[in-house]
């Protein structure tokens, strides 16, 4: 069974930092790209960024709203993806989800599983 | 960035009736290499993460009831629930995964009339 479990959320002051983890199980983690998506309370979904797998050079991409402040990384030996967040703002308050995009037989990514999410609150 | 315009914002449908949700990307999400539209539909119930319903615009996920279907005409995409059930009450989102940044529609809240 595919499972994605986020951790590391909590309360942080504006300007502070936080690192989220997404621990995967039930599939070959190294074969998938990992994405992060957030959702503010009562709002829609916002894609934050992604990291591809090793054959795709661990390429990263980010939304403009977090570029330069957030960094996505992964440790395939630990089946874990990370979201390092710096210079946090009150508008970064949201539930943060990690999601899997697996590659089909032709090498094209397909989104599927989501974790349950972890809440990040940025407030003084 | 590809803007995903989703409509309506909400709709109320009687049990057993059809629900139709629309999504229009601001540019094509058709990948000419695999001839597939890189568009997904998600269902999100209160307090839960989104659940993938449809990918490649029309491929239903395993375990998803066949009353859910995805279709398109040109660059207009549609999620149809052919016979609405009580358990289908949720917010539905479209997403393009053709190019970064990936983008979502604003969501459609489906309720029982």
């Amino acid at each position: 069974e595919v499972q994605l479990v986020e951790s590391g959320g909590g309360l942080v002051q504006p300007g502070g930092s936080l690192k989220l983890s997404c621990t995967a199980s039930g599939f070959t983690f190294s074969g998938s790209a990992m994405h992060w998506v957030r959702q503010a309370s009562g709002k829609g979904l916002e894609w934050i960024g992604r990291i591809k797998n090793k054959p795709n050079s661990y390429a990263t991409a980010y939304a403009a709203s977090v570029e330069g402040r957030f960094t996505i990384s992964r440790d395939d030996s630990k089946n874990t993806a990370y979201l390092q967040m710096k210079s946090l703002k009150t508008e970064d308050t949201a539930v943060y989800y990690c999601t899997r995009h697996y590659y089909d037989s032709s090498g094209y990514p397909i989104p599927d599983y989501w974790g349950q999410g972890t809440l990040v609150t940025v407030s003084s | 960035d590809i803007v995903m315009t989703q409509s309506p914002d909400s709709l109320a449908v009687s049990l057993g009736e059809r629900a139709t949700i629309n999504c229009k990307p601001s540019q094509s999400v058709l990948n000419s290499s695999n001839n597939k539209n890189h568009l997904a539909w998600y269902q999100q119930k209160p307090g839960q993460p989104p659940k993938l319903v449809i990918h490649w615009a029309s491929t239903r996920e395993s375990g998803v009831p066949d009353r859910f279907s995805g279709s398109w005409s040109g660059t207009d995409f549609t999620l149809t629930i052919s016979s609405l059930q009580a358990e289908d009450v949720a917010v539905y989102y479209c997403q393009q995964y053709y190019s970064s940044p990936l983008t979502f529609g604003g969501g459609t809240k489906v309720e029982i009339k």
Side-chain angles (χ1 to χ4, degrees):
Chain A
E1 178 192 8
V2 171
Q3 282 197 318
L4 300 171
V5 179
E6 301 92 341
S7 60
L11 176 63
V12 60
Q13 291 188 335
S17 298
L18 205 59
K19 187 173 185 178
L20 307 184
S21 299
C22 170
T23 302
S25 60
F27 66 99
T28 304
F29 180 75
S30 60
S32 297
M34 298 302 297
H35 294 235
W36 288 90
V37 176
R38 68 185 179 185
Q39 185 172 37
S41 180
K43 303 297 184 182
L45 302 168
E46 180 187 14
W47 181 83
I48 296 172
R50 58 93 169 128
I51 184 166
K52 293 185 176 181
N53 59 359
K54 185 175 181 180
N56 289 290
S57 305
Y58 296 126
T60 56
Y62 300 92
S65 59
V66 305
E67 181 87 57
R69 299 189 299 125
F70 290 11
T71 302
I72 298 173
S73 60
R74 63 190 293 163
D75 185 338
D76 290 348
S77 69
K78 295 183 179 180
N79 287 351
T80 301
Y82 302 98
L83 177 64
Q84 174 71 58
M85 304 182 292
K86 299 180 178 180
S87 303
L88 283 161
K89 308 173 182 179
T90 55
E91 52 263 41
D92 294 319
T93 295
V95 174
Y96 285 71
Y97 298 101
C98 65
T99 84
R100 180 183 84 154
H101 286 223
Y102 73 94
Y103 294 96
D104 69 7
S105 57
S106 300
Y108 294 99
I110 299 174
D112 58 0
Y113 288 93
W114 293 55
Q116 289 296 312
T118 187
L119 176 62
V120 172
T121 303
V122 185
S123 174
S124 54
Chain B
D1 299 4
I2 299 177
V3 176
M4 306 294 284
T5 301
Q6 197 173 329
S7 63
D9 292 336
S10 64
L11 75 161
V13 176
S14 299
L15 287 173
E17 295 301 305
R18 179 185 301 264
T20 301
I21 301 168
N22 302 299
C23 180
K24 184 174 180 63
S26 60
Q27 61 193 77
S28 174
V29 297
L30 176 64
N31 189 325
S32 57
S33 298
N34 64 353
N35 199 35
K36 292 184 177 180
N37 286 293
H38 288 220
L39 185 133
W41 288 97
Y42 297 91
Q43 174 193 68
Q44 186 178 32
K45 297 181 179 180
Q48 296 183 18
K51 172 190 171 185
L52 181 67
V53 176
I54 299 276
H55 71 270
W56 296 143
S58 62
T59 301
R60 195 167 45 245
E61 289 303 293
S62 174
V64 172
D66 61 7
R67 61 181 179 272
F68 289 88
S69 64
S71 62
W72 70 93
S73 175
T75 57
D76 293 319
F77 295 84
T78 300
L79 175 69
T80 301
I81 309 173
S82 60
S83 176
L84 191 74
Q85 303 300 304
E87 60 265 32
D88 301 333
V89 168
V91 179
Y92 292 84
Y93 295 93
C94 60
Q95 180 202 32
Q96 66 82 16
Y97 52 100
Y98 176 70
S99 67
S100 294
L102 277 62
T103 45
F104 293 89
T108 296
K109 186 174 185 179
V110 175
E111 300 173 305
I112 304 295
K113 184 187 292 183

